[in-house]
Amino acid sequence: DAKTTQPTSMDCAEGRAANLPCNHSTISGNEYVYWYRQIHSQGPQYIIHGLKNNETNEMASLIITEDRKSSTLILPHATLRDTAVYYCIVRVARSGGSNYKLTFGKGTLLTVNP
Amino acid sequence: SAVISQKPSRDICQRGTSLTIQCQVDSQVTMMFWYRQQPGQSLTLIATANQGSEATYESGFVIDKFPISRPNLTFSTLTVSNMSPEDSSIYLCSVILGDTQYFGPGTRLTVL
């Protein structure tokens, strides 16, 4: 899997948008960008994934740069319950080979403040 | 999405004993994974367990220490054998459904 780089921690005010960056400059053409979060002592929760187009779902938006070397996860209206460690992972989307599994880095600790 | 349950949710065990963790999924899945998360650390993959084949272990993990069963497409077990305090971690079951990997709630193990 391509290596990703994320800030160690970020703060965000409640109600404001949280923008979490991720660099993945060595991403391959068949690798997707996945985002997960882990609230303290719980299992990781899938948020969103994308290949090259921007994606949006009920939880967040994912903006991927045109060269695909970086992306931003956007939580449009952060709440206190969004405080968690956010992981950006790149991986091929289809099974096959040892690189299909998710490999977790250290992620970004997002703290949403009242 | 996949709904995953794990039993037990937590346990406190004595050194030298073994604990078997169960993982149940609400969908039939081919690929199932077991991860470990040591205190303050990120997730580390222990092994991949596909139904009908032997589990594949990552570097640093061996079958004698972490035997895995995968009897069908919705269930798996991970045993932590001959435990020591260094095995105190959260153990997580994970599956792939479609393009997405989902995780169970984890089993918090404390070894005294």
Side-chain angles (χ1 to χ4, degrees), chain A residues 34 36 38 41 43-44 46 49 87 91 93-95 100-102 104-105, chain B residues 31 33 35 37 42-43 45 58 92 96 98-101 103-105 108:
Chain A
Y34 284 79
Y36 285 77
Q38 188 175 25
S41 296
Y46 165 78
H49 75 284
Y87 297 99
R91 191 202 70 184
R94 295 296 176 184
S95 61
Y100 186 56
K101 54 185 179 284
L102 290 175
F104 286 79
Chain B
M31 301 185 74
F33 306 91
Y35 286 79
Q37 187 171 30
S42 187
L43 281 77
L45 181 64
E58 298 296 304
L92 296 128
I96 290 178
D99 290 344
T100 304
Q101 190 163 341
F103 290 82
R108 181 180 293 274

PDB file of all heavy atoms in Angstrom, chain A residues 34 36 38 41 43-44 46 49 87 91 93-95 100-102 104-105, chain B residues 31 33 35 37 42-43 45 58 92 96 98-101 103-105 108:
ATOM      1  N   TYR A  34      -9.267   5.639   1.129  1.00  0.00           N
ATOM      2  CA  TYR A  34     -10.282   5.290   2.119  1.00  0.00           C
ATOM      3  C   TYR A  34     -10.072   6.130   3.379  1.00  0.00           C
ATOM      4  O   TYR A  34      -8.946   6.407   3.777  1.00  0.00           O
ATOM      5  CB  TYR A  34     -10.175   3.812   2.526  1.00  0.00           C
ATOM      6  CG  TYR A  34     -10.714   2.834   1.517  1.00  0.00           C
ATOM      7  CD1 TYR A  34      -9.972   2.473   0.402  1.00  0.00           C
ATOM      8  CD2 TYR A  34     -11.966   2.258   1.695  1.00  0.00           C
ATOM      9  CE1 TYR A  34     -10.469   1.566  -0.519  1.00  0.00           C
ATOM     10  CE2 TYR A  34     -12.474   1.345   0.778  1.00  0.00           C
ATOM     11  CZ  TYR A  34     -11.717   0.998  -0.335  1.00  0.00           C
ATOM     12  OH  TYR A  34     -12.216   0.098  -1.240  1.00  0.00           O
ATOM     13  N   TYR A  36     -11.306   6.181   7.477  1.00  0.00           N
ATOM     14  CA  TYR A  36     -11.947   5.552   8.629  1.00  0.00           C
ATOM     15  C   TYR A  36     -11.749   6.457   9.837  1.00  0.00           C
ATOM     16  O   TYR A  36     -10.850   7.284   9.859  1.00  0.00           O
ATOM     17  CB  TYR A  36     -11.312   4.185   8.935  1.00  0.00           C
ATOM     18  CG  TYR A  36     -11.696   3.087   7.990  1.00  0.00           C
ATOM     19  CD1 TYR A  36     -11.127   3.004   6.720  1.00  0.00           C
ATOM     20  CD2 TYR A  36     -12.627   2.124   8.351  1.00  0.00           C
ATOM     21  CE1 TYR A  36     -11.468   1.994   5.846  1.00  0.00           C
ATOM     22  CE2 TYR A  36     -12.990   1.098   7.475  1.00  0.00           C
ATOM     23  CZ  TYR A  36     -12.398   1.054   6.228  1.00  0.00           C
ATOM     24  OH  TYR A  36     -12.749   0.041   5.356  1.00  0.00           O
ATOM     25  N   GLN A  38     -11.848   6.225  14.338  1.00  0.00           N
ATOM     26  CA  GLN A  38     -11.931   5.375  15.507  1.00  0.00           C
ATOM     27  C   GLN A  38     -12.186   6.248  16.722  1.00  0.00           C
ATOM     28  O   GLN A  38     -11.308   7.019  17.134  1.00  0.00           O
ATOM     29  CB  GLN A  38     -10.667   4.544  15.690  1.00  0.00           C
ATOM     30  CG  GLN A  38     -10.796   3.496  16.782  1.00  0.00           C
ATOM     31  CD  GLN A  38      -9.593   2.594  16.872  1.00  0.00           C
ATOM     32  OE1 GLN A  38      -8.489   2.950  16.481  1.00  0.00           O
ATOM     33  NE2 GLN A  38      -9.804   1.383  17.386  1.00  0.00           N
ATOM     34  N   SER A  41     -11.756   3.548  22.065  1.00  0.00           N
ATOM     35  CA  SER A  41     -12.100   2.196  22.521  1.00  0.00           C
ATOM     36  C   SER A  41     -13.144   1.501  21.666  1.00  0.00           C
ATOM     37  O   SER A  41     -13.695   0.488  22.079  1.00  0.00           O
ATOM     38  CB  SER A  41     -12.580   2.233  23.980  1.00  0.00           C
ATOM     39  OG  SER A  41     -11.542   2.647  24.819  1.00  0.00           O
ATOM     40  N   GLY A  43     -14.263  -0.020  17.557  1.00  0.00           N
ATOM     41  CA  GLY A  43     -13.685  -0.468  16.301  1.00  0.00           C
ATOM     42  C   GLY A  43     -13.717   0.650  15.268  1.00  0.00           C
ATOM     43  O   GLY A  43     -14.562   1.535  15.321  1.00  0.00           O
ATOM     44  N   PRO A  44     -12.790   0.652  14.313  1.00  0.00           N
ATOM     45  CA  PRO A  44     -12.796   1.670  13.267  1.00  0.00           C
ATOM     46  C   PRO A  44     -14.107   1.663  12.491  1.00  0.00           C
ATOM     47  O   PRO A  44     -14.680   0.616  12.217  1.00  0.00           O
ATOM     48  CB  PRO A  44     -11.620   1.262  12.374  1.00  0.00           C
ATOM     49  CG  PRO A  44     -10.714   0.495  13.263  1.00  0.00           C
ATOM     50  CD  PRO A  44     -11.629  -0.238  14.202  1.00  0.00           C
ATOM     51  N   TYR A  46     -15.998   2.904   9.003  1.00  0.00           N
ATOM     52  CA  TYR A  46     -15.819   3.348   7.626  1.00  0.00           C
ATOM     53  C   TYR A  46     -16.536   4.680   7.430  1.00  0.00           C
ATOM     54  O   TYR A  46     -17.671   4.880   7.887  1.00  0.00           O
ATOM     55  CB  TYR A  46     -16.384   2.312   6.663  1.00  0.00           C
ATOM     56  CG  TYR A  46     -16.577   2.809   5.254  1.00  0.00           C
ATOM     57  CD1 TYR A  46     -15.507   2.929   4.379  1.00  0.00           C
ATOM     58  CD2 TYR A  46     -17.837   3.172   4.795  1.00  0.00           C
ATOM     59  CE1 TYR A  46     -15.669   3.387   3.075  1.00  0.00           C
ATOM     60  CE2 TYR A  46     -18.022   3.632   3.497  1.00  0.00           C
ATOM     61  CZ  TYR A  46     -16.941   3.735   2.651  1.00  0.00           C
ATOM     62  OH  TYR A  46     -17.117   4.204   1.365  1.00  0.00           O
ATOM     63  N   HIS A  49     -14.914   6.511   0.655  1.00  0.00           N
ATOM     64  CA  HIS A  49     -13.747   6.236  -0.168  1.00  0.00           C
ATOM     65  C   HIS A  49     -13.974   6.774  -1.571  1.00  0.00           C
ATOM     66  O   HIS A  49     -15.122   7.009  -1.979  1.00  0.00           O
ATOM     67  CB  HIS A  49     -13.388   4.749  -0.191  1.00  0.00           C
ATOM     68  CG  HIS A  49     -14.283   3.873  -1.030  1.00  0.00           C
ATOM     69  ND1 HIS A  49     -15.541   3.490  -0.619  1.00  0.00           N
ATOM     70  CD2 HIS A  49     -14.087   3.311  -2.241  1.00  0.00           C
ATOM     71  CE1 HIS A  49     -16.077   2.716  -1.536  1.00  0.00           C
ATOM     72  NE2 HIS A  49     -15.227   2.584  -2.525  1.00  0.00           N
ATOM     73  N   TYR A  87      -8.254   8.040  10.068  1.00  0.00           N
ATOM     74  CA  TYR A  87      -7.220   7.350   9.304  1.00  0.00           C
ATOM     75  C   TYR A  87      -7.476   7.498   7.808  1.00  0.00           C
ATOM     76  O   TYR A  87      -8.583   7.227   7.327  1.00  0.00           O
ATOM     77  CB  TYR A  87      -7.195   5.862   9.634  1.00  0.00           C
ATOM     78  CG  TYR A  87      -6.849   5.527  11.057  1.00  0.00           C
ATOM     79  CD1 TYR A  87      -7.837   5.233  11.987  1.00  0.00           C
ATOM     80  CD2 TYR A  87      -5.519   5.479  11.469  1.00  0.00           C
ATOM     81  CE1 TYR A  87      -7.518   4.892  13.290  1.00  0.00           C
ATOM     82  CE2 TYR A  87      -5.193   5.139  12.774  1.00  0.00           C
ATOM     83  CZ  TYR A  87      -6.197   4.854  13.673  1.00  0.00           C
ATOM     84  OH  TYR A  87      -5.871   4.524  14.961  1.00  0.00           O
ATOM     85  N   ARG A  91      -5.528   1.938  -0.939  1.00  0.00           N
ATOM     86  CA  ARG A  91      -5.560   0.497  -1.166  1.00  0.00           C
ATOM     87  C   ARG A  91      -6.313   0.193  -2.440  1.00  0.00           C
ATOM     88  O   ARG A  91      -7.230   0.919  -2.811  1.00  0.00           O
ATOM     89  CB  ARG A  91      -6.277  -0.159   0.009  1.00  0.00           C
ATOM     90  CG  ARG A  91      -6.165  -1.680   0.060  1.00  0.00           C
ATOM     91  CD  ARG A  91      -7.281  -2.278   0.865  1.00  0.00           C
ATOM     92  NE  ARG A  91      -8.560  -2.151   0.168  1.00  0.00           N
ATOM     93  CZ  ARG A  91      -9.712  -2.522   0.699  1.00  0.00           C
ATOM     94  NH1 ARG A  91      -9.746  -3.006   1.927  1.00  0.00           N
ATOM     95  NH2 ARG A  91     -10.825  -2.393   0.025  1.00  0.00           N
ATOM     96  N   ALA A  93      -9.126  -1.509  -4.538  1.00  0.00           N
ATOM     97  CA  ALA A  93     -10.504  -1.732  -4.107  1.00  0.00           C
ATOM     98  C   ALA A  93     -10.948  -3.164  -4.273  1.00  0.00           C
ATOM     99  O   ALA A  93     -11.838  -3.620  -3.588  1.00  0.00           O
ATOM    100  CB  ALA A  93     -11.459  -0.814  -4.862  1.00  0.00           C
ATOM    101  N   ARG A  94     -10.317  -3.913  -5.171  1.00  0.00           N
ATOM    102  CA  ARG A  94     -10.773  -5.262  -5.439  1.00  0.00           C
ATOM    103  C   ARG A  94      -9.816  -6.266  -4.864  1.00  0.00           C
ATOM    104  O   ARG A  94      -8.612  -6.054  -4.829  1.00  0.00           O
ATOM    105  CB  ARG A  94     -10.917  -5.487  -6.947  1.00  0.00           C
ATOM    106  CG  ARG A  94     -11.983  -4.629  -7.583  1.00  0.00           C
ATOM    107  CD  ARG A  94     -13.359  -4.956  -7.063  1.00  0.00           C
ATOM    108  NE  ARG A  94     -14.383  -4.080  -7.588  1.00  0.00           N
ATOM    109  CZ  ARG A  94     -15.652  -4.095  -7.234  1.00  0.00           C
ATOM    110  NH1 ARG A  94     -16.047  -4.963  -6.332  1.00  0.00           N
ATOM    111  NH2 ARG A  94     -16.515  -3.270  -7.773  1.00  0.00           N
ATOM    112  N   SER A  95     -10.360  -7.395  -4.431  1.00  0.00           N
ATOM    113  CA  SER A  95      -9.534  -8.410  -3.797  1.00  0.00           C
ATOM    114  C   SER A  95      -8.538  -8.983  -4.788  1.00  0.00           C
ATOM    115  O   SER A  95      -8.740  -8.962  -5.982  1.00  0.00           O
ATOM    116  CB  SER A  95     -10.398  -9.533  -3.237  1.00  0.00           C
ATOM    117  OG  SER A  95     -11.110 -10.158  -4.273  1.00  0.00           O
ATOM    118  N   TYR A 100      -4.391  -6.007  -0.667  1.00  0.00           N
ATOM    119  CA  TYR A 100      -5.797  -5.675  -0.561  1.00  0.00           C
ATOM    120  C   TYR A 100      -6.172  -5.295   0.870  1.00  0.00           C
ATOM    121  O   TYR A 100      -7.134  -4.588   1.082  1.00  0.00           O
ATOM    122  CB  TYR A 100      -6.638  -6.850  -1.036  1.00  0.00           C
ATOM    123  CG  TYR A 100      -8.113  -6.553  -1.104  1.00  0.00           C
ATOM    124  CD1 TYR A 100      -8.593  -5.493  -1.847  1.00  0.00           C
ATOM    125  CD2 TYR A 100      -9.016  -7.329  -0.400  1.00  0.00           C
ATOM    126  CE1 TYR A 100      -9.946  -5.226  -1.898  1.00  0.00           C
ATOM    127  CE2 TYR A 100     -10.364  -7.074  -0.464  1.00  0.00           C
ATOM    128  CZ  TYR A 100     -10.828  -6.023  -1.211  1.00  0.00           C
ATOM    129  OH  TYR A 100     -12.160  -5.760  -1.264  1.00  0.00           O
ATOM    130  N   LYS A 101      -5.414  -5.767   1.844  1.00  0.00           N
ATOM    131  CA  LYS A 101      -5.778  -5.486   3.221  1.00  0.00           C
ATOM    132  C   LYS A 101      -5.457  -4.045   3.579  1.00  0.00           C
ATOM    133  O   LYS A 101      -4.592  -3.418   2.999  1.00  0.00           O
ATOM    134  CB  LYS A 101      -5.009  -6.423   4.157  1.00  0.00           C
ATOM    135  CG  LYS A 101      -3.505  -6.385   3.950  1.00  0.00           C
ATOM    136  CD  LYS A 101      -2.825  -7.415   4.800  1.00  0.00           C
ATOM    137  CE  LYS A 101      -1.303  -7.404   4.571  1.00  0.00           C
ATOM    138  NZ  LYS A 101      -0.950  -8.053   3.306  1.00  0.00           N
ATOM    139  N   LEU A 102      -6.192  -3.514   4.543  1.00  0.00           N
ATOM    140  CA  LEU A 102      -5.963  -2.161   5.035  1.00  0.00           C
ATOM    141  C   LEU A 102      -4.766  -2.136   5.964  1.00  0.00           C
ATOM    142  O   LEU A 102      -4.648  -2.964   6.848  1.00  0.00           O
ATOM    143  CB  LEU A 102      -7.191  -1.661   5.783  1.00  0.00           C
ATOM    144  CG  LEU A 102      -8.443  -1.347   4.976  1.00  0.00           C
ATOM    145  CD1 LEU A 102      -9.572  -0.985   5.907  1.00  0.00           C
ATOM    146  CD2 LEU A 102      -8.178  -0.209   4.006  1.00  0.00           C
ATOM    147  N   PHE A 104      -2.992   0.412   8.590  1.00  0.00           N
ATOM    148  CA  PHE A 104      -3.260   1.642   9.322  1.00  0.00           C
ATOM    149  C   PHE A 104      -1.978   2.344   9.724  1.00  0.00           C
ATOM    150  O   PHE A 104      -1.051   1.716  10.237  1.00  0.00           O
ATOM    151  CB  PHE A 104      -4.080   1.341  10.575  1.00  0.00           C
ATOM    152  CG  PHE A 104      -5.520   1.028  10.302  1.00  0.00           C
ATOM    153  CD1 PHE A 104      -5.889  -0.223   9.846  1.00  0.00           C
ATOM    154  CD2 PHE A 104      -6.506   1.984  10.493  1.00  0.00           C
ATOM    155  CE1 PHE A 104      -7.209  -0.525   9.576  1.00  0.00           C
ATOM    156  CE2 PHE A 104      -7.831   1.697  10.231  1.00  0.00           C
ATOM    157  CZ  PHE A 104      -8.188   0.439   9.776  1.00  0.00           C
ATOM    158  N   GLY A 105      -1.948   3.662   9.504  1.00  0.00           N
ATOM    159  CA  GLY A 105      -0.902   4.509  10.063  1.00  0.00           C
ATOM    160  C   GLY A 105      -1.359   5.036  11.407  1.00  0.00           C
ATOM    161  O   GLY A 105      -2.195   4.416  12.077  1.00  0.00           O
TER     162      GLY A 105
ATOM    163  N   MET B  31     -13.438 -12.917   2.820  1.00  0.00           N
ATOM    164  CA  MET B  31     -12.225 -12.453   3.471  1.00  0.00           C
ATOM    165  C   MET B  31     -12.539 -11.931   4.870  1.00  0.00           C
ATOM    166  O   MET B  31     -13.413 -11.081   5.047  1.00  0.00           O
ATOM    167  CB  MET B  31     -11.564 -11.360   2.638  1.00  0.00           C
ATOM    168  CG  MET B  31     -11.204 -11.809   1.234  1.00  0.00           C
ATOM    169  SD  MET B  31     -10.304 -10.559   0.297  1.00  0.00           S
ATOM    170  CE  MET B  31      -8.690 -10.652   1.060  1.00  0.00           C
ATOM    171  N   PHE B  33     -10.418 -10.739   8.595  1.00  0.00           N
ATOM    172  CA  PHE B  33      -9.115 -10.366   9.136  1.00  0.00           C
ATOM    173  C   PHE B  33      -9.192 -10.249  10.658  1.00  0.00           C
ATOM    174  O   PHE B  33     -10.237  -9.920  11.209  1.00  0.00           O
ATOM    175  CB  PHE B  33      -8.659  -9.011   8.580  1.00  0.00           C
ATOM    176  CG  PHE B  33      -8.656  -8.932   7.081  1.00  0.00           C
ATOM    177  CD1 PHE B  33      -9.781  -8.489   6.402  1.00  0.00           C
ATOM    178  CD2 PHE B  33      -7.537  -9.271   6.354  1.00  0.00           C
ATOM    179  CE1 PHE B  33      -9.793  -8.393   5.022  1.00  0.00           C
ATOM    180  CE2 PHE B  33      -7.532  -9.178   4.970  1.00  0.00           C
ATOM    181  CZ  PHE B  33      -8.667  -8.745   4.309  1.00  0.00           C
ATOM    182  N   TYR B  35      -7.127  -8.161  13.703  1.00  0.00           N
ATOM    183  CA  TYR B  35      -6.182  -7.100  14.003  1.00  0.00           C
ATOM    184  C   TYR B  35      -5.951  -7.038  15.507  1.00  0.00           C
ATOM    185  O   TYR B  35      -6.803  -7.451  16.307  1.00  0.00           O
ATOM    186  CB  TYR B  35      -6.722  -5.736  13.557  1.00  0.00           C
ATOM    187  CG  TYR B  35      -6.704  -5.465  12.071  1.00  0.00           C
ATOM    188  CD1 TYR B  35      -7.679  -5.991  11.232  1.00  0.00           C
ATOM    189  CD2 TYR B  35      -5.720  -4.656  11.507  1.00  0.00           C
ATOM    190  CE1 TYR B  35      -7.672  -5.727   9.875  1.00  0.00           C
ATOM    191  CE2 TYR B  35      -5.707  -4.369  10.143  1.00  0.00           C
ATOM    192  CZ  TYR B  35      -6.681  -4.907   9.339  1.00  0.00           C
ATOM    193  OH  TYR B  35      -6.674  -4.637   7.990  1.00  0.00           O
ATOM    194  N   GLN B  37      -4.691  -4.091  18.482  1.00  0.00           N
ATOM    195  CA  GLN B  37      -4.371  -2.698  18.765  1.00  0.00           C
ATOM    196  C   GLN B  37      -3.857  -2.615  20.185  1.00  0.00           C
ATOM    197  O   GLN B  37      -4.628  -2.694  21.148  1.00  0.00           O
ATOM    198  CB  GLN B  37      -5.585  -1.794  18.572  1.00  0.00           C
ATOM    199  CG  GLN B  37      -5.253  -0.318  18.689  1.00  0.00           C
ATOM    200  CD  GLN B  37      -6.415   0.559  18.286  1.00  0.00           C
ATOM    201  OE1 GLN B  37      -7.574   0.188  18.431  1.00  0.00           O
ATOM    202  NE2 GLN B  37      -6.115   1.746  17.779  1.00  0.00           N
ATOM    203  N   SER B  42      -1.668   2.146  16.827  1.00  0.00           N
ATOM    204  CA  SER B  42      -2.599   1.937  15.736  1.00  0.00           C
ATOM    205  C   SER B  42      -2.877   0.442  15.572  1.00  0.00           C
ATOM    206  O   SER B  42      -2.377  -0.381  16.327  1.00  0.00           O
ATOM    207  CB  SER B  42      -2.018   2.532  14.449  1.00  0.00           C
ATOM    208  OG  SER B  42      -2.973   2.492  13.416  1.00  0.00           O
ATOM    209  N   LEU B  43      -3.689   0.110  14.602  1.00  0.00           N
ATOM    210  CA  LEU B  43      -4.053  -1.292  14.375  1.00  0.00           C
ATOM    211  C   LEU B  43      -2.946  -2.013  13.611  1.00  0.00           C
ATOM    212  O   LEU B  43      -2.382  -1.464  12.659  1.00  0.00           O
ATOM    213  CB  LEU B  43      -5.351  -1.379  13.568  1.00  0.00           C
ATOM    214  CG  LEU B  43      -6.656  -1.161  14.310  1.00  0.00           C
ATOM    215  CD1 LEU B  43      -6.884   0.311  14.587  1.00  0.00           C
ATOM    216  CD2 LEU B  43      -7.819  -1.756  13.543  1.00  0.00           C
ATOM    217  N   LEU B  45      -2.284  -5.770  11.652  1.00  0.00           N
ATOM    218  CA  LEU B  45      -2.916  -6.978  11.152  1.00  0.00           C
ATOM    219  C   LEU B  45      -2.196  -8.204  11.683  1.00  0.00           C
ATOM    220  O   LEU B  45      -0.969  -8.310  11.576  1.00  0.00           O
ATOM    221  CB  LEU B  45      -2.899  -6.986   9.626  1.00  0.00           C
ATOM    222  CG  LEU B  45      -3.549  -8.187   8.936  1.00  0.00           C
ATOM    223  CD1 LEU B  45      -5.050  -8.220   9.237  1.00  0.00           C
ATOM    224  CD2 LEU B  45      -3.320  -8.131   7.433  1.00  0.00           C
ATOM    225  N   GLU B  58       0.768 -12.509   9.364  1.00  0.00           N
ATOM    226  CA  GLU B  58       1.701 -11.428   9.076  1.00  0.00           C
ATOM    227  C   GLU B  58       3.009 -11.672   9.821  1.00  0.00           C
ATOM    228  O   GLU B  58       3.078 -12.462  10.771  1.00  0.00           O
ATOM    229  CB  GLU B  58       1.108 -10.089   9.481  1.00  0.00           C
ATOM    230  CG  GLU B  58      -0.153  -9.743   8.720  1.00  0.00           C
ATOM    231  CD  GLU B  58       0.077  -9.560   7.235  1.00  0.00           C
ATOM    232  OE1 GLU B  58       0.922  -8.724   6.853  1.00  0.00           O
ATOM    233  OE2 GLU B  58      -0.619 -10.259   6.449  1.00  0.00           O
ATOM    234  N   LEU B  92      -9.505  -7.070  17.142  1.00  0.00           N
ATOM    235  CA  LEU B  92     -10.604  -6.674  16.272  1.00  0.00           C
ATOM    236  C   LEU B  92     -10.748  -7.628  15.095  1.00  0.00           C
ATOM    237  O   LEU B  92      -9.762  -7.972  14.439  1.00  0.00           O
ATOM    238  CB  LEU B  92     -10.373  -5.258  15.735  1.00  0.00           C
ATOM    239  CG  LEU B  92     -10.352  -4.174  16.795  1.00  0.00           C
ATOM    240  CD1 LEU B  92      -9.120  -3.315  16.676  1.00  0.00           C
ATOM    241  CD2 LEU B  92     -11.607  -3.320  16.672  1.00  0.00           C
ATOM    242  N   ILE B  96     -14.437  -7.911   4.618  1.00  0.00           N
ATOM    243  CA  ILE B  96     -14.611  -7.113   3.412  1.00  0.00           C
ATOM    244  C   ILE B  96     -15.932  -7.496   2.772  1.00  0.00           C
ATOM    245  O   ILE B  96     -16.216  -8.680   2.545  1.00  0.00           O
ATOM    246  CB  ILE B  96     -13.451  -7.319   2.433  1.00  0.00           C
ATOM    247  CG1 ILE B  96     -12.185  -6.674   3.007  1.00  0.00           C
ATOM    248  CG2 ILE B  96     -13.787  -6.735   1.062  1.00  0.00           C
ATOM    249  CD1 ILE B  96     -10.962  -6.852   2.163  1.00  0.00           C
ATOM    250  N   GLY B  98     -18.068  -6.143  -0.541  1.00  0.00           N
ATOM    251  CA  GLY B  98     -17.982  -5.222  -1.670  1.00  0.00           C
ATOM    252  C   GLY B  98     -16.612  -4.581  -1.714  1.00  0.00           C
ATOM    253  O   GLY B  98     -15.588  -5.258  -1.668  1.00  0.00           O
ATOM    254  N   ASP B  99     -16.589  -3.248  -1.779  1.00  0.00           N
ATOM    255  CA  ASP B  99     -15.323  -2.510  -1.833  1.00  0.00           C
ATOM    256  C   ASP B  99     -14.838  -2.071  -0.461  1.00  0.00           C
ATOM    257  O   ASP B  99     -13.801  -1.430  -0.358  1.00  0.00           O
ATOM    258  CB  ASP B  99     -15.495  -1.239  -2.682  1.00  0.00           C
ATOM    259  CG  ASP B  99     -15.664  -1.562  -4.144  1.00  0.00           C
ATOM    260  OD1 ASP B  99     -15.356  -2.699  -4.537  1.00  0.00           O
ATOM    261  OD2 ASP B  99     -16.121  -0.679  -4.886  1.00  0.00           O
ATOM    262  N   THR B 100     -15.599  -2.383   0.569  1.00  0.00           N
ATOM    263  CA  THR B 100     -15.360  -1.757   1.868  1.00  0.00           C
ATOM    264  C   THR B 100     -15.009  -2.781   2.937  1.00  0.00           C
ATOM    265  O   THR B 100     -15.554  -3.882   2.951  1.00  0.00           O
ATOM    266  CB  THR B 100     -16.596  -0.939   2.286  1.00  0.00           C
ATOM    267  OG1 THR B 100     -16.884   0.010   1.254  1.00  0.00           O
ATOM    268  CG2 THR B 100     -16.352  -0.199   3.590  1.00  0.00           C
ATOM    269  N   GLN B 101     -14.127  -2.409   3.816  1.00  0.00           N
ATOM    270  CA  GLN B 101     -13.747  -3.242   4.954  1.00  0.00           C
ATOM    271  C   GLN B 101     -14.416  -2.699   6.199  1.00  0.00           C
ATOM    272  O   GLN B 101     -14.371  -1.499   6.469  1.00  0.00           O
ATOM    273  CB  GLN B 101     -12.224  -3.256   5.121  1.00  0.00           C
ATOM    274  CG  GLN B 101     -11.712  -4.272   6.109  1.00  0.00           C
ATOM    275  CD  GLN B 101     -10.225  -4.542   5.955  1.00  0.00           C
ATOM    276  OE1 GLN B 101      -9.627  -4.263   4.926  1.00  0.00           O
ATOM    277  NE2 GLN B 101      -9.616  -5.098   6.992  1.00  0.00           N
ATOM    278  N   PHE B 103     -15.329  -3.269  10.507  1.00  0.00           N
ATOM    279  CA  PHE B 103     -14.698  -3.747  11.734  1.00  0.00           C
ATOM    280  C   PHE B 103     -15.726  -4.046  12.806  1.00  0.00           C
ATOM    281  O   PHE B 103     -16.755  -3.379  12.911  1.00  0.00           O
ATOM    282  CB  PHE B 103     -13.711  -2.703  12.271  1.00  0.00           C
ATOM    283  CG  PHE B 103     -12.485  -2.572  11.412  1.00  0.00           C
ATOM    284  CD1 PHE B 103     -12.510  -1.787  10.276  1.00  0.00           C
ATOM    285  CD2 PHE B 103     -11.323  -3.245  11.731  1.00  0.00           C
ATOM    286  CE1 PHE B 103     -11.392  -1.676   9.455  1.00  0.00           C
ATOM    287  CE2 PHE B 103     -10.198  -3.139  10.935  1.00  0.00           C
ATOM    288  CZ  PHE B 103     -10.235  -2.360   9.791  1.00  0.00           C
ATOM    289  N   GLY B 104     -15.401  -5.044  13.609  1.00  0.00           N
ATOM    290  CA  GLY B 104     -16.187  -5.321  14.784  1.00  0.00           C
ATOM    291  C   GLY B 104     -15.876  -4.341  15.899  1.00  0.00           C
ATOM    292  O   GLY B 104     -14.958  -3.518  15.784  1.00  0.00           O
ATOM    293  N   PRO B 105     -16.599  -4.460  17.009  1.00  0.00           N
ATOM    294  CA  PRO B 105     -16.419  -3.521  18.124  1.00  0.00           C
ATOM    295  C   PRO B 105     -15.149  -3.773  18.928  1.00  0.00           C
ATOM    296  O   PRO B 105     -14.743  -2.930  19.714  1.00  0.00           O
ATOM    297  CB  PRO B 105     -17.665  -3.756  18.974  1.00  0.00           C
ATOM    298  CG  PRO B 105     -18.043  -5.173  18.675  1.00  0.00           C
ATOM    299  CD  PRO B 105     -17.692  -5.401  17.235  1.00  0.00           C
ATOM    300  N   ARG B 108     -11.526  -6.264  24.326  1.00  0.00           N
ATOM    301  CA  ARG B 108     -10.463  -5.673  25.152  1.00  0.00           C
ATOM    302  C   ARG B 108      -9.942  -6.710  26.120  1.00  0.00           C
ATOM    303  O   ARG B 108     -10.679  -7.180  26.989  1.00  0.00           O
ATOM    304  CB  ARG B 108     -10.978  -4.458  25.911  1.00  0.00           C
ATOM    305  CG  ARG B 108      -9.915  -3.790  26.778  1.00  0.00           C
ATOM    306  CD  ARG B 108     -10.479  -2.580  27.505  1.00  0.00           C
ATOM    307  NE  ARG B 108     -10.828  -1.504  26.585  1.00  0.00           N
ATOM    308  CZ  ARG B 108      -9.988  -0.590  26.144  1.00  0.00           C
ATOM    309  NH1 ARG B 108      -8.722  -0.600  26.549  1.00  0.00           N
ATOM    310  NH2 ARG B 108     -10.398   0.365  25.339  1.00  0.00           N
TER     311      ARG B 108
END
